[in-house]
Amino acid sequence: MSEMLTQAGANYGFFFDQELCTGCKACQIACKDKHDLPIGVNWRRVVEYSGGTWTAQGNALTQNVFTYYTSIACNHCEDAICMQVCPTTAMSRREDGTVYVDSSKCVGCRYCEWACAYGAPQFNAAQGHMSKCDLCYDYRSTGQDPACVAACPSRALGWGPIDELRSEHGTNDAVAPLPDPSITKPRLVIHPHKDAQPWTSTAGSIANPKEI
């Protein structure tokens, strides 16, 4: 996808292959390094979701234990609630469909952070305003992949016009522990892990809450 330039009206989004993700966090580290993010601010996070039980049957034990990872950042949602609640219009959308923070307008009120179901906007105390993934607009403008995509050693991450991603990979965007996608209509496509649970499931829990 590195040959793709930022195009007006493309409505870019992310593709994530959950089957390929090993939870190495290379995407998270690459994002943090590229944007020089301070401690506590992570535009991309890798969530570990685990669950299942062991059952005794006579002298034998059977299990349905599962663990899988979800790499998540801003999904540049079609109904971006961060834009709806922003009192200064600092949360803005480019012609290519990606959502970014106009730092000249942001007052750091954090309404967007509280409203976002994915926790994408995050307050940068050193700068005094909100910050978030903009799908590496500067890299894309020069024909490069976003930092997270380029860093993934298992090629679990991809990006592109969301219509093309959905045509190629399907429309699944509702895997636990992600929220109800109808809230914001994320521009995200997930190829689910074989043990992936639906977003409504309570069969598991987040195993690394302090990291995310």
Side-chain angles (χ1 to χ4, degrees):
M1 200 70 69
S2 59
E3 74 279 1
M4 184 183 296
L5 299 177
T6 298
Q7 300 172 356
N11 291 329
Y12 289 124
F14 282 112
F15 167 68
F16 174 59
D17 191 331
Q18 209 167 45
E19 285 273 281
L20 296 179
C21 181
T22 64
C24 73
K25 301 182 178 66
C27 56
Q28 179 176 318
I29 294 168
C31 174
K32 196 170 184 72
D33 179 64
K34 190 263 181 184
H35 298 285
D36 195 23
L37 302 179
I39 293 174
V41 176
N42 295 302
W43 292 357
R44 179 167 287 280
R45 290 145 292 142
V46 178
V47 183
E48 180 181 352
Y49 192 70
S50 303
T53 59
W54 289 83
T55 304
Q57 294 182 335
N59 294 325
L61 291 174
T62 60
Q63 56 86 20
N64 60 354
V65 175
F66 62 86
T67 294
Y68 56 84
Y69 302 95
T70 303
S71 178
I72 193 74
C74 176
N75 295 308
H76 306 283
C77 302
E78 293 173 26
D79 292 339
I81 197 168
C82 59
M83 294 177 62
Q84 296 172 29
V85 302
C86 180
T88 66
T89 68
M91 281 292 173
S92 305
R93 192 186 297 277
R94 291 193 170 95
E95 291 184 353
D96 63 10
T98 57
V99 179
Y100 73 103
V101 182
D102 185 339
S103 58
S104 68
K105 296 180 180 179
C106 182
V107 296
C109 69
R110 307 181 77 159
Y111 287 178
C112 56
E113 177 184 359
W114 300 331
C116 177
Y118 299 92
Q122 298 186 15
F123 183 66
N124 188 322
Q127 297 177 350
H129 58 70
M130 304 308 297
S131 66
K132 60 176 288 298
C133 159
D134 67 352
L135 222 160
C136 284
Y137 179 74
D138 54 346
Y139 275 14
R140 292 185 290 112
S141 297
T142 58
Q144 301 176 74
D145 287 328
C148 58
V149 174
C152 180
S154 59
R155 296 297 179 258
L157 279 172
W159 70 284
I162 192 61
D163 288 344
E164 293 182 13
L165 295 178
R166 288 170 178 160
S167 176
E168 182 176 357
H169 302 290
T171 60
N172 194 332
D173 55 6
V175 175
L178 300 183
D180 179 356
S182 69
I183 297 172
T184 60
K185 299 180 182 176
R187 290 186 176 133
L188 171 69
V189 174
I190 298 174
H191 173 74
H193 187 273
K194 63 181 179 62
D195 295 323
Q197 307 293 305
W199 74 267
T200 53
S201 174
T202 58
S205 61
I206 294 174
N208 59 336
K210 291 184 178 180
E211 293 182 13
I212 61 173

